[in-house]
Amino acid sequence: MVAPSRPAPGAVLTREDAPALGQAPRPSLPARVLPPVGFAAVVAALWSLAAASRPDSVLPSPWTVLAETWSLTLNGGFGPVVGRTASTMAVAFGVSAVVGVALGLGLARTPLADRAVSPYLIGLQSLPSAVWIPVAVIFLGASSSAVLAVTILGALPSIAIGTRDAVHGIPPILLRAAQTLGARGRTLLLRVVVPAALPGIVSGLEHGWAFAFRSLVAGELIIGASGAGLGFFVATARDDGRVDHLFAAVLVIMLLGVAVDRLGFARLQRRLREQRGLGT
């Protein structure tokens, strides 16, 4: 057996060198698509068997839910509510990302503040978003502002903690080398710390987005502010006894989550790994 050749000292490695260095090539499109499609087919088959012995008013079949989802999408039933949820999410997550990343960077660079504040951030992260809903209603009323506040409070602690941990994970030798070369203060932060911690920061943002989305839908569902988004749609379907609409909303919420992850965070993480020579 011939051992794989090693690159010469000082040689510049390219992406084409990755397989030779033991990095697994990126799976083909069928290899990425077929497993989730096959799993969905199994779930649909089991769902169909369970629904066969029950009326649609109790447990509709997957085909009924898909047909209703398609109908609601075409006739504009989902468009406005998804748009309202997306707009609220954009504002809430934007605020959470800016404040959370800034707070995490500050805690990571200030040990005293880290010891003082981080335990409370961890405690806040452990709180279910539903706990904040009555508090928000008391101060802000049953309004879109209360939903926005609940969403921000659900995401911010996770982003701050993820950013702090990402900075703590930077190899100390990298920081010492930068300081030896004269990097200090703002230059050290923006040119060394943030780029080195960026993969971890993105992971924290991804977790924060998931917390924010769950908090947002829960807030819309429980607060029931007029004109709210997907959560309000779920509450209306519950009150009307439309189980098919409930399942259709669940399907849309799941599809939105998968789309944001696959088209946004997953691509960004993959690009960051490629830039660092960690494979595709």
Side-chain angles (χ1 to χ4, degrees):
M1 181 176 179
V2 180
S5 59
R6 295 181 177 275
V12 178
L13 302 181
T14 64
R15 291 181 60 183
E16 288 74 13
D17 298 320
L21 296 177
Q23 293 181 359
R26 188 181 180 186
S28 62
L29 181 61
R32 299 196 305 271
V33 172
L34 289 179
V37 171
F39 181 76
V42 172
V43 172
L46 296 175
W47 183 354
S48 299
L49 290 174
S53 60
R54 293 170 175 83
D56 280 351
S57 59
V58 176
L59 180 61
S61 70
W63 324 118
T64 300
V65 172
L66 288 175
E68 191 62 29
T69 303
W70 182 249
S71 175
L72 288 169
T73 302
L74 290 181
N75 65 25
F78 273 135
V81 294
V82 170
R84 285 191 286 268
T85 294
S87 62
T88 304
M89 185 68 182
V91 174
F93 183 68
V95 172
S96 300
V98 172
V99 176
V101 170
L103 178 59
L105 291 174
L107 294 178
R109 306 301 292 171
T110 312
L112 179 60
D114 187 15
R115 292 193 294 270
V117 176
S118 289
Y120 299 100
L121 285 176
I122 295 173
L124 291 174
Q125 186 183 26
S126 303
L127 282 176
S129 58
V131 174
W132 288 114
I133 293 175
V135 178
V137 170
I138 290 173
F139 283 95
L140 301 173
S143 63
S144 57
S145 298
V147 176
L148 186 67
V150 169
T151 307
I152 293 173
L153 290 171
L156 195 150
S158 177
I159 296 174
I161 293 171
T163 301
R164 182 207 64 177
D165 291 344
V167 175
H168 285 169
I170 299 175
I173 191 172
L174 179 62
L175 299 178
R176 288 197 295 268
Q179 290 169 343
T180 300
L181 294 174
R184 294 289 188 279
R186 183 177 179 181
T187 300
L188 179 66
L189 177 66
L190 298 180
R191 301 291 296 274
V192 180
V193 173
V194 171
L198 193 55
I201 293 175
V202 172
S203 294
L205 289 171
E206 183 176 8
H207 295 153
W209 186 91
F211 279 113
F213 194 41
R214 289 199 295 266
S215 301
L216 172 57
V217 174
E220 293 174 343
L221 173 62
I222 298 175
I223 293 175
S226 177
L230 281 166
F232 185 73
F233 181 91
V234 171
T236 303
R238 175 200 60 198
D239 295 338
D240 294 341
R242 292 299 302 269
V243 182
D244 53 346
H245 284 194
L246 285 173
F247 278 97
V250 169
L251 180 60
V252 169
I253 292 170
M254 290 178 61
L255 290 176
L256 287 174
V258 172
V260 170
D261 177 74
R262 294 293 91 192
L263 301 178
F265 290 110
R267 288 188 174 185
L268 181 56
Q269 290 281 22
R270 184 168 63 249
R271 181 170 297 181
L272 291 174
R273 289 195 301 269
E274 290 174 354
Q275 292 176 350
R276 287 159 172 75
L278 299 176
T280 57

